[in-house]
C-alpha cells in the first residue's frame, strides 16, 4: 500500500466513479483501476461493490475510507512542516510527557517556549515514564518529562536532570470523615481502600507506593486500579477509596476530592528531564532551560 493508491481510492469515493476521479487527477482511467486493484490485493478484500451502479463501498471500504482520509491529512501536514524546517522558517521539537504534568508544570513551559519560538512546531507525545527512553532512541521525541519514585534505572546513553522533588500527599473523597482533618496519618490507609495507578505492566510506580506502605506496617487493600491519574481522581471522588499523588497535582480544580499532607511518609517523587546524551540542539537547550526555570518555581 502506498500514498498514491490511498489518494486514488479517496478521490474515487469523493467523485463517485473511477472515470471522474481520473479526470480530476489528470491520469488515465486504467491507472486508477490498476492502483485500486493493487490496493485491494494488499488489503485482502474488495473496497467497492462493482455489481452496483454507482459503485458502493463494501464494509471494508467503509472502514478504510475515514482512516485513509486521516492518513492523507497527516502526510500533508508532515510535508508542510518538513518544508518549513528545510527552508529555515521553523523547527521541530518532540516532547514526551506524563499526564500528571498537565496539572502544573507543562502548560507554563509550553507557553514560555512558544513566546520565544513562535515558529517552532512542538510535537507533544503523552507517554508513561517507562516508555519515554524507547521513544528517545527512536528519535520520536527529543526530551522526556518523567516521574519516578525512589531509585530508577538510568540508561548509560541518556542524561537525567532533576527538575524538582515532588512530595506525596493523600487524596481523599471530599465527603470522607478523614478529609476534615488538617493532615492524614499514613496508618489510616490500613482501613481505607487504596486506588492503585497507573495500571501498566511496565510501570512499577504504583507497586512501589504499595510496597512502601507495607514497609511502614500498613497493608491497604487495593480495590481498584486506574490506567491513569485522571481516572484515579475520579474513583477517589466517587468515594471508592483514597490514594497518594505528587503535590504538584493538587491544583486541578476538582471539588470532589481533598488533598492532605501525610504524616509519617519519608519518600517523594522526582520529576526528571531525560535526553539523549551528547545531543546538540539549541531548541532543546532552550526548552530545557525554561523547563528547569519553571521547575524551580514549582
Amino acid at each position: 500500500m502506498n500514498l498514491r493508491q490511498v489518494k486514488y481510492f479517496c478521490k474515487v469515493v469523493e467523485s463517485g466513479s473511477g472515470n471522474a476521479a481520473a479526470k480530476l487527477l489528470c491520469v488515465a482511467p486504467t491507472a486508477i483501476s490498476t492502483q485500486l486493484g493493487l490496493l485491494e490485493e494488499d488489503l485482502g478484500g474488495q473496497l467497492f461493490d462493482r455489481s452496483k451502479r454507482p459503485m458502493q463501498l463494501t464494509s471494508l471500504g467503509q472502514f478504510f475510507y475515514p482512516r485513509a482520509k486521516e492518513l492523507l491529512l497527516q502526510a500533508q501536514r508532515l510535508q508542510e512542516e518538513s518544508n518549513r524546517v528545510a527552508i529555515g522558517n521553523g523547527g521541530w521539537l518532540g516532547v514526551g510527557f506524563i499526564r500528571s504534568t498537565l496539572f502544573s508544570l507543562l502548560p507554563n513551559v509550553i507557553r514560555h517556549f512558544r513566546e520565544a519560538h513562535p515558529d517552532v512546531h512542538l510535537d507533544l507525545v503523552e507517554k508513561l515514564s517507562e516508555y519515554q527512553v524507547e521513544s528517545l532512541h527512536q528519535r520520536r521525541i527529543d526530551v522526556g518529562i518523567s516521574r519516578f519514585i525512589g531509585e530508577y534505572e538510568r540508561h548509560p546513553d541518556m542524561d537525567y536532570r532533576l527538575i524538582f522533588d515532588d512530595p506525596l500527599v493523600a487524596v481523599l473523597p471530599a465527603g470522607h470523615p478523614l478529609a476534615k482533618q488538617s493532615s492524614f496519618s499514613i496508618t489510616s490507609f490500613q482501613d481505607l481502600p487504596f486506588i492503585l495507578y497507573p495500571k501498566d505492566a511496565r510501570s512499577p510506580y504504583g507497586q512501589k507506593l504499595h510496597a512502601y506502605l507495607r514497609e511502614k506496617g500498613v497493608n491497604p487493600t487495593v480495590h481498584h486500579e486506574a490506567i491513569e491519574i485522571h481516572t484515579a481522581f475520579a474513583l477517589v471522588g466517587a468515594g471508592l477509596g483514597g490514594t497518594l499523588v505528587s503535590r504538584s497535582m493538587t491544583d486541578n480544580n476538582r471539588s470532589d476530592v481533598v488533598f492532605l499532607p501525610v504524616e509519617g511518609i519519608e519518600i517523594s517523587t522526582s520529576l526528571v528531564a531525560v535526553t539523549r546524551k551528547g545531543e546538540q540542539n539549541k531548541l532543546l537547550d532552550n526548552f530545557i532551560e525554561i523547563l528547569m526555570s519553571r521547575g524551580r518555581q514549582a
Side-chain angles (χ1 to χ4, degrees), residues 14-88:
E14 292 156 5
S15 64
S17 72
N19 287 334
K23 290 181 180 179
L24 292 172
L25 293 168
C26 299
V27 298
T30 53
I32 297 287
S33 178
T34 298
Q35 293 301 318
L36 283 182
L38 292 172
L39 178 60
E40 289 175 326
E41 183 177 337
D42 286 340
L43 297 177
Q46 297 292 311
L47 292 166
F48 294 98
D49 183 349
R50 293 172 173 79
S51 66
K52 299 179 179 179
R53 290 292 182 271
M55 292 190 303
Q56 296 182 8
L57 288 172
T58 62
S59 58
L60 174 60
Q62 292 172 0
F63 169 83
F64 188 71
Y65 176 63
R67 293 160 178 81
K69 286 289 292 181
E70 179 61 26
L71 177 61
L72 292 177
L73 287 173
Q74 290 177 356
Q76 181 179 350
R77 285 196 295 267
L78 175 60
Q79 180 177 346
E80 292 171 353
E81 291 167 4
S82 298
N83 287 342
R84 287 198 297 270
V85 173
I87 63 177

Side-chain angles (χ1 to χ4, degrees), residues 4 13 37 81 106 141 145 150 153 160 173 185 197 199 218 227 236 242 258 285:
R4 177 186 295 177
V13 174
E81 291 167 4
L106 191 59
I141 60 175
I145 304 174
E153 180 182 6
Y160 296 81
S185 172
Y197 70 94
K199 186 180 180 182
V218 183
I227 294 176
V236 173
V258 171
D285 292 342

